[in-house]
Amino acid sequence: MDTRRLRLLLALSRLGSMRAVADAFSLTTSTVSQQLAALAKETDTQLIEPDGRRVRLTPAGQRLADHAVTILAAVDAARLDLDPDAEPAGTLRVGGFATGIRVSLLPILHDLADTHPNVDVVISEHEPIEAFELLVNDDLDLALTYEYDLAPASPDAVLESVALWSTPWGLGVPADDPNTVAGLLSYSERSWIVNSRNTADEDAVRTLASLAGFTPHIAHQIDSLDLVEDLIFSGYGVGLLPTTRPARDGVKVLPLSDPHVVLTAFAFTRRGRSTWPPLRLVLDRLRPADHRPLPLKSWPRPTAAGA
């Protein structure tokens, strides 16, 4: 059904005459009559009937006019929603890894609530693999993800991204370890700890080990950096940790070199969606001013479990 014809039908239900509708829309009564006849043909239903020298809506026509109120309101809302210059409003679904949410999203939410109270942000925690799937399936509007330079992500082609910040990672070992730099071959016989919900961590470890000439023994899969540190402290293995995040007592992080390991955080969206005003609002506040990876000076240490 042509929404312009629905508007004429709705106007007829309210104004009561073809002449009044024609005047309201700057049309001729003949044009209004032709458009309503076309609408009746589209719906295969008689919508108007004679009423003396005038016309009135049939019961079916009145029901369609009632539907038109909802239909036209939805169309108007959709047009406003698609207008990149419209005032941001609506629910923005954000999913991402815990540190990305802490570092990039939480600092802007308080100000966002003051400046744009009609934007509601709903947050869920997901590792990149999970977030990519949800974004592709349109169950998220924005995904905060990460990748290691030694284990690039492979997102779906329908997604696009902007880099947010980067930080180096090193090798977490017990504090009494005599090494000051991570010579990985020294740890070829040790058990290794990797992320339980994302393969990038394990891919980076296996690449590092391969370059050093050994195959790592992946013994533990852990989602929480705090728990990774606890296992390292207790002698259950070694694992990658961010160098900018203060480690717990009894654990130290050795710098890696040749190659370095760098984690970069990204904001991912579906292609063509970034002009939606609520999403554009958050993206503009998330990204660095120069749109390049930004060195992270302070990796927050959470009080609760989570990476």
Side-chain angles (χ1 to χ4, degrees), residues 80-97:
L80 183 63
D81 190 52
L82 295 173
D83 181 1
D85 298 322
E87 179 66 20
T91 299
L92 180 68
R93 303 162 299 170
V94 182
F97 70 115

Side-chain angles (χ1 to χ4, degrees), residues 3-300:
T3 56
R4 294 170 297 179
R5 293 167 182 161
L6 283 177
R7 292 187 188 278
L8 294 177
L9 182 72
L10 181 58
L12 180 60
S13 74
R14 291 171 173 172
L15 299 176
S17 76
M18 291 282 198
R19 168 56 58 190
V21 174
D23 291 344
F25 287 86
S26 299
L27 300 171
T28 65
T29 53
S30 175
T31 298
V32 173
S33 178
Q34 290 172 5
Q35 292 299 310
L36 291 179
L39 181 61
K41 186 175 181 180
E42 287 176 345
T43 59
D44 194 25
T45 304
Q46 183 180 353
L47 301 176
I48 59 176
E49 61 186 4
D51 183 22
R53 299 181 62 182
R54 305 175 69 177
V55 297
R56 66 185 177 191
L57 298 186
T58 64
Q62 187 57 57
R63 292 199 303 274
L64 183 57
D66 292 339
H67 282 297
V69 174
T70 302
I71 293 168
L72 295 173
V75 170
D76 289 342
R79 285 175 175 157
L80 183 63
D81 190 52
L82 295 173
D83 181 1
D85 298 322
E87 179 66 20
T91 299
L92 180 68
R93 303 162 299 170
V94 182
F97 70 115
T99 297
I101 292 171
R102 290 190 190 99
V103 171
S104 297
L105 184 64
L106 291 184
I108 71 173
L109 289 186
H110 181 74
D111 179 60
L112 200 65
D114 291 336
T115 59
H116 295 83
N118 292 326
V119 175
D120 184 26
V121 179
V122 176
I123 306 169
S124 54
E125 183 187 352
H126 300 286
E127 284 292 316
I129 292 177
E130 301 162 343
F132 288 145
E133 181 177 359
L134 291 169
L135 200 55
V136 168
N137 292 337
D138 204 23
D139 292 320
L140 286 179
D141 302 304
L142 172 64
L144 300 178
T145 72
Y146 65 86
E147 69 176 24
Y148 298 101
D149 54 349
L150 294 184
S154 299
D156 193 284
V158 302
L159 305 182
E160 60 184 357
S161 68
V162 58
L164 299 178
W165 46 261
S166 299
T167 191
W169 280 50
L171 183 65
V173 299
D176 59 1
D177 188 293
N179 293 319
T180 56
V181 177
L184 291 183
L185 199 56
S186 303
Y187 302 93
S188 60
E189 301 300 321
R190 301 291 299 274
S191 295
W192 285 74
I193 307 164
V194 298
N195 191 299
S196 60
R197 290 167 53 200
N198 191 40
T199 58
D201 199 48
E202 181 173 345
D203 291 344
V205 165
R206 291 192 180 280
T207 299
L208 281 171
S210 176
L211 292 171
F214 70 95
T215 300
H217 171 52
I218 306 295
H220 312 290
Q221 295 181 320
I222 304 296
D223 181 42
S224 160
L225 289 182
D226 285 346
L227 185 53
V228 171
E229 291 180 350
D230 290 343
L231 290 178
I232 292 171
F233 171 76
S234 300
Y236 286 98
V238 296
L240 297 179
L241 291 172
T243 62
T244 50
R245 175 182 185 267
R248 59 152 288 174
D249 290 341
V251 173
K252 65 181 181 181
V253 182
L254 303 178
L256 291 165
S257 60
D258 195 26
H260 297 282
V261 175
V262 177
L263 176 147
T264 299
F266 295 87
F268 270 90
T269 60
R270 287 179 63 94
R271 293 188 183 278
R273 298 287 181 87
S274 60
T275 56
W276 179 44
L279 182 55
R280 174 86 276 132
L281 175 70
V282 172
L283 281 174
D284 286 344
R285 298 186 180 208
L286 282 177
R287 66 178 57 184
D290 57 7
H291 295 195
R292 293 177 301 178
L294 180 69
L296 183 64
K297 297 180 180 178
S298 178
W299 186 286

